Amino acid sequence: MLRAPRAVPAWLAHPFRWQRLPVPWAAVARGALCAGPLLAAGIATGHVAPGVLSALGSMLAGVNDRPGTRRTGIVHIGLPALATAFGMLIGASLQTAGAGWWTVPALFAVGFLSGAGSVAGPVRSNAGMQMLAAAILGAGMPLPGAPWEKALFVLAGCLWLLLLRLVVRSPRPAGGALSGERAAVATVFDALADALGAAGGPGAEPARRRLTAALDRADEALRLRRLTSRLLHRPARTEELLLTERFAAATALCEASVALLWEARPLSSRVADSPRRFADALRTGGSPGRLSAPETSTAARGAFDQALLDAAVVFARREPLPAPPRQPAPAAGRPAWMTLPGSVLQGALGAVGGRTRRGRGLFGPAGRDYGLRVAVCIAASAAVALLLRPEHWYWLPATTTFLVKPDLGPLFSRTVNRFAGTVAGVLLFAAAGLVPAGAWWPAVVAGAGGALLPFATRHFALQTVAITLMVLSFVYASGAHEAAAERVVDTSIACGIVLVVGHLPRLADPRRRVGHRVTAALHGTEEYLRHVLESEPGTDPTRRLALRRAAYRALGEARAAAETTAAELLAARDRNPDWLTVVTAAERIVDAATACAVRLDHGAHRPSVAEAERLCQALSAMADALEDPRRPAGPPGPDLLPVPDCATLTDVAAEVERIRGHAGAS
């Protein structure tokens, strides 16, 4: 009898995962016009050091050149660019003072700040990583110039890419200056159509998560647009207000659709394709045309049809509704953007309000552990490098920088892909050096690596190939013609250090690295559930929609952290909560609460205050228990289950019990 083959462990399968993404041709063109031409200009004018530094800055900025509107590009590229220049200033100052063993504690401090900032969101995490990499390269690369000059050259390279981001972009669709924001909102309707088409099938939950991601991107784009208007003291234009109203209609339609998805009944293709008509109308500037016929078989279907009708009315308008009363002016001495609730900078940098702020501080438990992990790895690799190869020591800790950040992927997977990508990049660079091309061939290789970098975001090994080609080009152009084999040896040592140090018991504790995000997500879920159950009929749904968006956003962050942890090589995996199951249960609670809100709006039985409070307190207790295992996890399970006359809340109680069971593994 043949035995069924055992599934490949996630930590072993993850290095081979490949993201399926469209080719960003505009970003490829920008990459080709960045590092290569800047390095070529330095070689042609005889100012190699400025050329290398500006090309280095453009390369680091190119890592952050991701799809999005121009304004999101300014945030995602500009903020890390400032951190990169600051890191180069620190590193170059260390080099000017004379590199020695005291560099190790200095890099330990920079590494701690870089790692601790990882808890605050992806933009700040990238900024911290690039600040650390620039500090190491500034301290180790023997380039002439004052520290402030080096920092300005690096910043100039970043700004060159930012300028290209504003000039070289994909063909503009209908929508004029709002084309990026309009496309982001259209993507929400497309994702909603996909989710409705998957209703009742196994792909419903993944489709709903893709819908949540699309809502996050559109929300960020529109908030940044409003932020720009307020900073410039410019009143919003008619088309901006209309697009904001259409996004609000999309958000309301998504809420009703979540209730349909919760019912898990397959829908007709006409119903599923109705939101796609709105997407086409946004892209073409036309009208959505005929929509699906209304039906009132269930409260969720009635709410969906009503939201569909409301969206059609919004799309038919050519003038926005009158603006609500203006809020009080900002307090004296405070910038306008600081008074924007949930501004894009808060979302991008990862700041959240209320109870979800727990554990996300720079010196909170998670920040300390993140920072300590990065700092120890950087200090150890710098010490080993100074001992083995003091004249070219920077490669080893620089390699460690791109490996050790705990929020960028499983450690084992990144280590394997980093080594494979470095070997491939060194071989390609050595092969390019055999082609007779004079003194220009490093610039050509750097240009090819820059063009490859946007495409390479789909796999870390391919991204490593592109970065290795570019960095070797910079090093070769600056006069360091040592054998490329040294780079492979240094990368091997860095991988070994990261695997050993990164898996030390305290530094690899997933309760620290994931628990604070799951706790924040559960508190956001509880806050949304409480608002749904306690708000009176006829209450303005704006607050409810905002809480639901915040809950889904926190759950998305928690899911990403849990998926990374699930693919880690951990010896004590069975002693930790089943994070993915906890997050999935919390997502279902938010879905069920949304369905409950829709039913309550349509006259369903409202649960008693005691029933509502019992569920909310149990969920809050579970969040506190995950944050601190010594706390009790709330009342016994059977007290939660019977919720009379409200099927959605019975499901909420069941999912709370599910969280209790899977979180009890600790």
Side-chain angles (χ1 to χ4, degrees), residues 279-465:
D280 295 338
L282 278 169
R283 293 190 175 98
T284 62
S287 62
R290 299 184 63 182
L291 303 173
S292 60
E295 178 187 329
T296 57
S297 56
T298 65
R301 180 59 195 274
F304 174 81
D305 289 330
Q306 182 60 51
L308 205 64
L309 177 61
D310 293 341
V313 172
V314 170
F315 271 73
R317 277 203 299 266
R318 292 296 176 262
E319 292 293 332
L321 293 175
R326 297 192 61 182
Q327 298 295 324
R334 294 184 67 191
W337 64 267
M338 291 183 66
T339 65
L340 292 178
S343 69
V344 70
L345 288 179
Q346 289 177 327
L349 298 178
V352 290
R355 303 179 69 181
T356 58
R357 189 182 294 274
R358 303 182 180 195
R360 297 177 70 99
L362 188 66
F363 298 106
R368 291 197 302 269
D369 284 0
Y370 271 54
L372 189 62
R373 178 179 181 178
V374 175
V376 171
C377 287
I378 291 297
S381 59
V384 172
L386 286 169
L387 182 64
L388 296 180
R389 197 171 291 113
E391 66 279 4
H392 302 296
W393 61 271
Y394 57 88
W395 185 276
L396 202 157
T399 298
T400 303
T401 299
F402 293 100
L403 285 176
V404 72
K405 288 300 287 298
D407 58 314
L408 297 180
L411 187 59
F412 178 80
S413 176
R414 290 177 66 82
T415 302
V416 170
N417 286 320
R418 180 73 184 185
F419 179 78
T422 300
V423 172
V426 167
L427 293 176
L428 288 174
F429 185 82
L434 300 177
V435 179
W440 298 96
W441 72 271
V444 175
V445 174
L452 177 63
L453 192 57
F455 175 82
T457 55
R458 59 196 64 208
H459 197 273
F460 185 58
L462 191 58
Q463 188 180 50
T464 301
V465 171

Side-chain angles (χ1 to χ4, degrees), residues 512-531:
R512 295 277 193 174
R513 295 189 288 116
V514 185
H516 74 286
R517 295 191 184 276
V518 176
T519 299
L522 290 180
H523 280 304
T525 301
E526 182 263 333
E527 190 172 0
Y528 171 62
L529 177 63
R530 184 179 295 276
H531 180 83

Side-chain angles (χ1 to χ4, degrees), residues 41 75 118 160 206 225 238 301-302 502 515 565 601:
V75 173
S118 300
W160 171 246
R225 183 86 189 190
T238 298
R301 180 59 195 274
T565 299
D601 289 344

Side-chain angles (χ1 to χ4, degrees), residues 46 482 503 578:
E482 66 273 6
H503 284 102
D578 187 349

